[in-house]
Amino acid sequence: MAPGDDPQRDRAETQAAIDAAGIDLDPVPPGHHRHGDEIHADGHQHPHQHSKPGERPYTGIVGGGAVGTALAAALTRAGWPVSAVASRDPDRRARLAAAADGARAFAEPQALIEEVELIILAVPDDAIAPLASSVRMYSGQAMVHTSGALGAEVLAPAMAAGTQVGGFHPLVAFADTERAVAALHGATVAVEGDDQLAGLLAEMAETLGATAVRLEPGSKAAYHAAAVLAAGGFIALLDAIAELGRVAGLDEAGSLAIYGPLIEGTLGNARALGIRAALTGPMTRGDIGPLPAHLEALSVH
């Protein structure tokens, strides 16, 4: 059969020769990428879902630990659109999706980034920088982390043209999901970002019933150290009180019942009068008599 007698065979042979030569008949131009059958410019508008002007952005949460799960539940119940979640752990991923009322669940963070406009990284501090280095945002997106110690600059590796980064740190003890969700009402949330992003994050905090504050640049370490003292440091103090209470014949619940009102009253005084004026006890009266007995009890127990 002569060339031209079978057009279908001729096309197949031509295509085979082109493929063998490594020629791409439908190349992706520089600065673009292929998505399915479509070619998009890099910096194209993602995600696949777009909120309308005036609407809250489609939000995704990466991290199925205590913070991510509590935020997923709290935001969803408050009407903030959590449309996607991600965790590499299957069980945590399922719990996270359930907390977000059946949001799409992904194992990999980059897959989530393809679907949302606001990305919340609720992962341990040590995981934030490696995670930010492993993903890439698209124009129009924003990414925030929930760390109280790290600045927003740790997210810079994930940025592209037209993206924003920031921080969203609720000053809440995330020991239990339901208690944390309840504690967000009236809590403080430290936010970072430019004015536009900070305004959005403040709106998100207010949706949860919290109050947003913007920290001074470079103050994150001091802010977080104070938070650690207010939470973990206070628990250490309670443990010491309970240990001394056992010597007096009290169990833990008894110590909390007896000394709890005194603690609450002291905090109330500090709020009303200031910390210095709220100080009471033998030292403020110049009464040093009880101190030796106190020191002996502390050293023995």
Side-chain angles (χ1 to χ4, degrees):
M1 183 179 295
D5 293 340
D6 187 346
Q8 185 173 356
R9 184 197 65 184
D10 291 345
R11 282 196 298 272
E13 291 177 348
T14 301
Q15 183 63 55
I18 290 172
D19 292 342
I23 299 172
D24 186 357
L25 294 180
D26 187 22
V28 177
H32 294 66
H33 75 283
R34 187 183 302 282
H35 189 77
D37 293 330
E38 300 179 355
I39 295 176
H40 301 270
D42 288 343
H44 66 293
Q45 291 294 321
H46 262 243
H48 298 160
Q49 300 184 88
H50 296 283
S51 57
K52 296 177 182 177
E55 290 183 341
R56 293 163 174 169
Y58 289 104
T59 301
I61 298 176
V62 178
V67 177
T69 303
L71 282 179
L75 288 169
T76 299
R77 295 174 193 178
W80 191 278
V82 179
S83 55
V85 296
S87 174
R88 292 192 173 101
D89 182 279
D91 293 335
R92 288 188 169 193
R93 186 163 64 247
R95 287 196 298 270
L96 194 55
D101 197 23
R104 295 192 66 187
F106 300 94
E108 296 300 326
Q110 187 63 50
L112 175 142
I113 290 174
E114 302 287 336
E115 300 293 328
V116 301
E117 298 166 295
L118 174 63
I119 306 119
I120 300 175
L121 302 187
V123 299
D125 285 14
D126 290 346
I128 293 175
L131 178 52
S133 298
S134 70
V135 297
R136 190 72 168 174
M137 289 192 288
Y138 300 100
S139 178
Q141 290 181 312
M143 178 183 289
V144 300
H145 62 60
T146 59
S147 169
L150 300 176
E153 65 276 1
V154 72
L155 301 176
M159 297 183 72
T163 62
Q164 299 170 290
V165 294
F168 186 86
H169 179 252
L171 201 57
V172 168
F174 289 90
D176 173 82
T177 298
E178 290 303 322
R179 292 182 68 85
V181 170
L184 284 165
H185 292 270
T188 297
V189 179
V191 300
E192 290 180 276
D194 64 20
D195 289 345
Q196 180 186 18
L197 179 57
L200 174 66
L201 297 178
E203 179 187 349
M204 188 162 69
E206 291 166 4
T207 299
L208 297 175
T211 300
V213 296
R214 291 184 75 172
L215 301 178
E216 291 292 332
S219 67
K220 205 73 179 285
Y223 156 82
H224 192 248
V228 170
L229 287 176
F234 180 59
I235 291 297
L237 178 60
L238 286 179
D239 185 62
I241 291 170
E243 284 293 322
L244 291 169
R246 287 188 185 95
V247 180
L250 302 171
D251 61 10
E252 182 177 293
S255 287
L256 290 174
I258 289 176
Y259 300 112
L262 180 59
I263 293 169
E264 292 166 357
T266 302
L267 178 59
N269 287 340
R271 286 172 169 163
L273 307 173
I275 294 174
R276 181 180 294 274
L279 180 64
T280 61
M283 290 298 291
T284 62
R285 301 188 297 270
D287 186 6
I288 63 173
L291 294 184
H294 291 174
L295 293 173
E296 181 180 357
L298 289 169
S299 65
V300 172
H301 304 288

